[in-house]
Amino acid sequence: MTNPVVHITNLNLHYAGQPVLRDLDWRIYPGENWVIGGKSGSGKSSLAKAIVKQEKVSGDIHLRFTAGLTLPPVAYYVANWYQFTNLEGDRNFYYQQRYNKHQQHDTLTVYADLIHFGQKHQLDFHDAEPILEALGFDNCRETQLIELSSGEHKKVQLVQALWLKPQILILDEPYTGLDRQSRRQLNVILDRLAAEGVSLILITNDNDIPASINRFAEIADGKINVVADIAAMAQDQERRPKPFPYFLQKAPTADSDTIAELRDVSVRYGEKTVLKNVSWRVRKGEKWLLQGPNGSGKSTLLSLLNGDHPQAYANEIWLFGRKRGSGESIWDIKEKIGIISPELHWYFDKHATVWHAIASGFYDSIGWFLNVKYEEKKKIEQLLDFFDLLEDKDKLLHTLPLGKQRLALLARTIVKNPPLLILDEPCQGLDRSQTTHFNAVVDELSAYGKTLIYVGHYESQLPSCLDRRLVLEKGEVILNERHTFLTT
């Protein structure tokens, strides 16, 4: 009888006094490649970390590696977020730091980071080059880690894992932030690794998965539940419709018919051009989709609008009827903008409760603040009720399931009813039900006179309200059109 590659028996894990995994048994046999999906917060990541001994559990986990393979006899886990450090080994970064030229060189370049990884695992860099090229990442070698977008950070993680070729490879949300072409190429490489003998475990609710995936499971009530396919996996319950808080049913005040305008804008870092001669006008009430491959300049463009990028003053940029640099402060700009992004989520204060996270939207901060007014407290309570977060309001934001974290950050984004909403890939890592719920809220919210810029790669995962599209490629506008999107 064939021995299992992974043999787990009686696995138990408690978190904050609550059971997450309970007497879990699971066997993975040679030739099996798994997708683990299901409800947010069910324990998928905890199980993955337990397999590679990054989570303290009770029970038995036995890994059986095959002798004679050229593949390293290790189980390697790729986390949802890339936890890089600065040159001193510190992870204490702040949100705007990636745009601060005085601190950009505080982290390694992509090339230096990969060289360090290769030396640690005795790998030849020539074997990494085809992976860099396949993922469209070979032109980022000299880019500082802190300058990368969330999708580019994911590519750093993937290049390392695919280069290593471990006998057991566990990828937690491997498609987070990746553009369509990069997802396709990733699946091609994963199929190739599976053919070479790598056992794959993917934690994802994505339908576009490698052809080599032949087993599916979810975690339900702390145990592994084998299912036929991704469609059979449990989803979070559909949310009961509620009336929108009254203060959000009013059109926000805007002093100009033009919310934002960029005129022939360019951004450069030394010899590297990130944006080139970009012109774009966003009028009051418009609903824009912003698209483009990883590294096309989307994040930089949004940072110019949000007041975070210092090169905004070197370009002709108009916000809410005023030219940047004409006397307004950065807080005057942020007061009129609500934003959610993977970077803001990643840098968010780990000590913030759900209540404090939402309240921080009034002050455009991601840290602590004082003197929340009575009227503001009432709005926070209304949003907590609307998003079904009342029971979670005193919990630390980062301890909640990802879906609830994103809803809390959406509440933070809209709590001051700003004229402009910038939602940068807000549904990363959410399952189909959560994505549908999130975008339904965005559609309803947009009906009350909001101006929207929404970043998303897949038309099937977008709000239906979007009717205009701007597409970037290599820092240039290649498409600016009015369009009707199919969201089925």
Side-chain angles (χ1 to χ4, degrees):
M1 182 177 179
T2 304
N3 291 317
V5 177
V6 178
H7 190 181
I8 301 174
T9 54
N10 297 323
L11 196 69
N12 285 273
L13 170 67
H14 286 73
Y15 187 79
Q18 298 297 317
V20 178
L21 305 176
R22 296 189 293 187
D23 299 323
L24 183 145
D25 297 326
W26 190 27
R27 296 180 185 181
I28 300 175
Y29 289 94
E32 292 184 344
N33 297 296
W34 290 76
V35 158
I36 307 298
K39 293 183 179 180
S40 179
S42 59
K44 303 185 291 291
S45 296
S46 295
L47 175 59
K49 292 176 183 178
I51 293 174
V52 296
K53 302 186 186 307
Q54 292 182 15
E55 190 81 69
K56 290 188 66 175
V57 294
S58 63
D60 185 62
I61 302 175
H62 180 70
L63 306 181
R64 181 181 178 274
F65 300 108
T66 303
L69 284 182
T70 57
L71 307 173
V74 296
Y76 188 79
Y77 170 66
V78 176
N80 191 11
W81 295 101
Y82 186 41
Q83 300 288 339
F84 65 94
T85 65
N86 64 14
L87 298 179
E88 297 178 353
D90 188 8
R91 291 178 179 168
N92 188 27
F93 300 107
Y94 59 88
Y95 180 50
Q96 294 88 354
Q97 190 169 346
R98 62 185 294 205
Y99 307 116
N100 189 332
K101 68 180 181 180
H102 299 296
Q103 300 196 47
Q104 284 171 353
H105 298 287
D106 195 31
T107 60
L108 293 174
T109 63
V110 169
Y111 177 76
D113 192 51
L114 291 177
I115 288 295
H116 176 74
F117 181 86
Q119 290 173 342
K120 178 180 178 181
H121 296 279
Q122 299 180 329
L123 302 173
D124 186 341
F125 187 75
H126 291 295
D127 295 330
E129 290 179 332
I131 304 171
L132 286 165
E133 184 176 355
L135 295 180
F137 201 46
D138 50 339
N139 63 339
C140 292
R141 298 187 189 196
E142 298 306 318
T143 304
Q144 302 287 317
L145 292 177
I146 199 168
E147 296 177 278
L148 300 177
S149 66
S150 63
E152 291 169 326
H153 279 144
K154 178 57 67 177
K155 288 185 178 182
V156 175
Q157 293 178 289
L158 291 171
V159 170
Q160 293 174 348
L162 302 175
W163 183 18
L164 179 62
K165 291 186 181 181
Q167 289 195 26
I168 301 172
L169 177 56
I170 308 172
L171 302 178
D172 196 343
E173 300 295 349
Y175 305 105
T176 296
L178 296 187
D179 57 60
R180 189 185 302 267
Q181 180 63 19
S182 296
R183 292 183 179 207
R184 291 197 191 104
Q185 290 299 321
L186 172 60
N187 285 343
V188 169
I189 298 173
L190 290 175
D191 283 334
R192 191 181 305 143
L193 293 187
E196 294 180 30
V198 175
S199 296
L200 300 175
I201 304 172
L202 274 58
I203 299 173
T204 181
N205 286 293
D206 203 291
N207 289 313
D208 188 11
I209 56 177
S212 55
I213 296 296
N214 51 25
R215 300 283 280 163
F216 302 86
E218 62 184 2
I219 299 178
D221 297 323
K223 300 179 185 296
I224 282 285
N225 179 27
V226 178
V227 297
D229 52 31
I230 287 182
M233 293 179 182
Q235 303 286 312
D236 282 353
Q237 291 183 347
E238 290 190 13
R239 180 177 169 275
R240 178 173 54 85
K242 292 183 178 182
F244 245 70
Y246 180 71
F247 75 93
L248 290 175
Q249 297 181 30
K250 300 178 181 178
T253 302
D255 298 329
S256 172
D257 287 335
T258 298
I259 296 296
E261 185 173 5
L262 288 73
R263 301 177 184 174
D264 202 28
V265 166
S266 295
V267 172
R268 297 178 180 86
Y269 303 123
E271 299 298 319
K272 182 180 179 180
T273 299
V274 182
L275 294 176
K276 183 178 180 181
N277 303 326
V278 172
S279 294
W280 183 29
R281 186 179 182 187
V282 178
R283 296 174 177 84
K284 183 168 63 176
E286 290 181 339
K287 314 294 187 293
W288 282 87
L289 172 63
L290 176 60
Q291 290 185 309
N294 298 132
S296 59
K298 301 186 299 296
S299 295
T300 301
L301 178 59
L302 295 180
S303 70
L304 292 170
L305 299 181
N306 193 41
D308 288 326
H309 204 298
Q311 291 196 37
Y313 296 102
N315 286 280
E316 187 170 359
I317 299 174
W318 294 74
L319 296 173
F320 309 104
R322 297 186 63 179
K323 187 175 184 299
R324 282 301 309 270
S326 61
E328 83 292 355
S329 72
I330 188 173
W331 305 113
D332 293 329
I333 296 169
K334 289 182 176 294
E335 184 182 8
K336 299 180 177 67
I337 300 175
I339 185 168
I340 182 174
S341 71
E343 290 79 15
L344 185 144
H345 192 170
W346 190 75
Y347 290 115
F348 211 86
D349 186 353
K350 300 299 182 186
H351 302 289
T353 65
V354 171
W355 192 94
H356 283 100
I358 298 174
S360 71
F362 285 115
Y363 301 88
D364 303 300
S365 70
I366 57 177
W368 297 103
F369 48 86
L370 300 172
N371 300 325
V372 179
K373 301 178 181 65
Y374 174 79
E375 295 81 3
E376 294 171 344
K377 291 179 181 179
K378 298 299 291 184
K379 292 178 180 179
I380 294 169
E381 292 297 319
Q382 290 177 47
L383 286 172
L384 286 167
D385 177 64
F386 178 76
F387 287 113
D388 298 317
L389 293 170
L390 280 172
E391 293 182 356
D392 303 302
K393 68 177 184 178
D394 295 322
K395 297 177 183 177
L396 295 178
L397 177 69
H398 77 274
T399 65
L400 266 59
L402 181 59
K404 285 192 173 184
Q405 290 186 45
R406 290 289 164 81
L407 289 177
L409 290 179
L410 178 59
R412 175 191 184 275
T413 301
I414 63 179
V415 70
K416 60 187 176 184
N417 196 22
L420 175 61
L421 298 177
I422 299 177
L423 308 183
D424 184 359
E425 297 194 66
C427 296
Q428 278 190 9
L430 303 187
D431 64 28
R432 296 186 301 277
S433 175
Q434 291 169 327
T435 298
T436 299
H437 171 203
F438 189 100
N439 286 332
V441 172
V442 173
D443 280 330
E444 185 175 356
L445 185 67
S446 296
Y448 296 110
K450 311 294 189 291
T451 304
L452 176 64
I453 299 173
Y454 192 106
V455 180
H457 290 296
Y458 280 75
E459 272 77 0
S460 61
Q461 299 176 359
L462 300 174
S464 60
C465 64
L466 301 171
D467 59 4
R468 289 169 172 79
R469 175 164 60 176
L470 187 80
V471 181
L472 298 177
E473 187 171 305
K474 296 180 179 178
E476 297 186 74
V477 175
I478 63 169
L479 190 65
N480 184 332
E481 66 174 5
R482 183 179 180 90
H483 191 68
T484 300
F485 299 98
L486 299 178
T487 57
T488 58

